[in-house]
Amino acid sequence: MKKIKILHITDFHFRHNGRLFYSSGKKINNGLILNGHNVLNISDRDITNQRKSIFDIGSKKHLFNLIVENIKNFRPNMILFGHVDRLSYLDFIELKNRFKQIKFGQWFLDPLIKTGPDFEKNKSRFFLKYQFCDANFVTTSPSSLNFVNNDRTFFIPNPIDPSIDVYKNHLFKNEIDVFIAISHGQHRGILKDGYKDKRTKFIDKLTKKATYNIFGYNKNPIWGQKFFDELNKCSMAINLSRGKPIKYYSSDRISALLGNGLLTFIDEKYQYQKLFTKNEIVTFKNINDLNKKILFYKKFKKLQKKIASNGYRKAHKIFNNKLISNFIVNKTMGYEIKKKYSWMDD
């Protein structure tokens, strides 16, 4: 693998004081470094948040000028954007014209589901950089999106980082059956007043014969180390994402569930059965099917732990942050990919 210089521009959440130390941006960044690349970071939202000026609304000019100076000094081979929304269309045109020798890529983790939350907003954010990037990476199958070019839009799973996802719940007894965590935006850290989430109706229909550790519904979401502390109390988890199921999409929560050894339930319409066998993850058809399976695996603990263990090993293998970061670099730079995994064929 050729070692290159990468300017990685994304939100590293410094202003949140460690509350989001397990963000996907950090996991991707760690993967780039572990693969031997020279990586320089710019945390766009921390920069614009810290500098206020009535002459530069949103500190957008300051951010753009800072990026240009970093490019001049660092001279990267590649610029990787992650959810960078503070630059304008004209800013990207100027960057592309001034630095023609540099390859541009972006990763985008938010849902691009027509029936899902914030579709038009997310699509607009994605497209802002899409037209300027040599490669784009999304956590939804591009084959399910009719507005992207599949030649330069690629699926990536939510990454697992073995330095962050260090817990092995499948090896221990757990006091609670099922872990569920939903939220309405990680930047707020608290529930939105009056916000309606269809997932709560689903949660209300879960069997009362199992025990649950639920966050983001009736009590605030959890962040930081507390997220893992509460997750570690449970043996199983339900992966619930907003919006109608679409092939391969999931919030980054799935990497925490599989990556830390919980037996994970997911709706079969996400088609994760194409990535994991029935001995590695448990899919369900509807709420009745899920309730039956929760009670079944609650009863048969040995089988429960076996599937959780298999899922843990498989997820750490194919969702590894080094593997995903390597895929991002190879596709953006136009390098050959010698070893493929199932999700790369989409």
Side-chain angles (χ1 to χ4, degrees), residues 146-159:
N146 60 9
F147 50 83
V148 300
N149 184 332
N150 287 6
D151 291 334
R152 59 190 181 99
T153 307
F154 309 98
F155 171 75
I156 56 169
N158 291 281

Side-chain angles (χ1 to χ4, degrees), residues 55-100:
F55 303 105
D56 182 12
I57 304 301
S59 300
K60 295 178 181 180
K61 292 180 181 178
H62 173 65
L63 174 63
F64 178 78
N65 292 333
L66 185 145
I67 290 172
V68 169
E69 288 305 309
N70 274 264
I71 294 172
K72 289 179 178 178
N73 291 326
F74 185 52
R75 298 182 187 177
N77 306 102
M78 170 181 160
I79 298 177
L80 180 62
F81 300 100
H83 293 206
V84 178
D85 304 326
R86 304 301 171 91
L87 298 180
S88 69
Y89 179 84
L90 294 178
D91 290 335
F92 282 107
I93 288 179
E94 185 169 349
L95 288 176
K96 196 70 174 178
N97 288 337
R98 288 180 67 173
F99 305 103
K100 293 183 174 65

Side-chain angles (χ1 to χ4, degrees), residues 79-257:
I79 298 177
L80 180 62
F81 300 100
H83 293 206
V84 178
D85 304 326
R86 304 301 171 91
L87 298 180
S88 69
Y89 179 84
L90 294 178
D91 290 335
F92 282 107
I93 288 179
E94 185 169 349
L95 288 176
K96 196 70 174 178
N97 288 337
R98 288 180 67 173
F99 305 103
K100 293 183 174 65
Q101 75 281 10
I102 297 175
K103 296 288 187 180
F104 287 63
Q106 75 156 321
W107 51 263
F108 192 85
L109 307 182
D110 287 342
L112 292 167
I113 308 167
K114 286 186 177 180
T115 58
D118 305 318
F119 171 68
E120 292 297 338
K121 179 182 177 181
N122 288 342
K123 183 181 176 181
S124 177
R125 291 167 59 219
F126 172 71
F127 260 92
L128 176 64
K129 297 172 286 297
Y130 171 82
Q131 54 205 313
F132 302 107
C133 288
D134 298 278
N136 301 271
F137 305 92
V138 293
T139 52
T140 301
S141 169
S143 64
S144 299
L145 306 176
N146 60 9
F147 50 83
V148 300
N149 184 332
N150 287 6
D151 291 334
R152 59 190 181 99
T153 307
F154 309 98
F155 171 75
I156 56 169
N158 291 281
I160 288 174
D161 187 328
S163 72
I164 294 174
D165 301 301
V166 298
Y167 303 100
K168 300 179 179 180
N169 279 270
H170 54 283
L171 298 180
F172 307 102
K173 291 184 178 180
N174 312 95
E175 58 187 278
I176 302 173
D177 294 319
V178 181
F179 178 77
I180 302 173
I182 62 176
S183 65
H184 316 308
Q186 61 185 9
H187 297 99
R188 290 175 55 88
I190 58 174
L191 294 173
K192 296 178 183 177
D193 291 335
Y195 183 85
K196 299 291 185 180
D197 191 322
K198 292 182 180 179
R199 291 175 295 179
T200 60
K201 295 181 180 179
F202 186 88
I203 291 171
D204 286 337
K205 297 177 183 178
L206 291 171
T207 175
K208 304 302 187 289
K209 295 180 181 180
T211 55
Y212 301 91
N213 207 14
I214 302 174
F215 296 90
Y217 177 34
N218 293 329
K219 53 184 175 181
N220 279 319
I222 44 173
W223 308 101
Q225 182 56 41
K226 188 177 180 182
F227 174 85
F228 292 99
D229 292 343
E230 296 295 338
L231 177 149
N232 289 339
K233 296 177 182 178
C234 307
S235 57
M236 303 180 285
I238 305 171
N239 188 68
L240 295 177
S241 297
R242 293 191 296 166
K244 185 178 179 180
I246 189 172
K247 185 178 179 183
Y248 292 167
Y249 175 73
S250 171
S251 70
D252 58 4
R253 193 172 300 104
I254 195 167
S255 64
L257 305 181

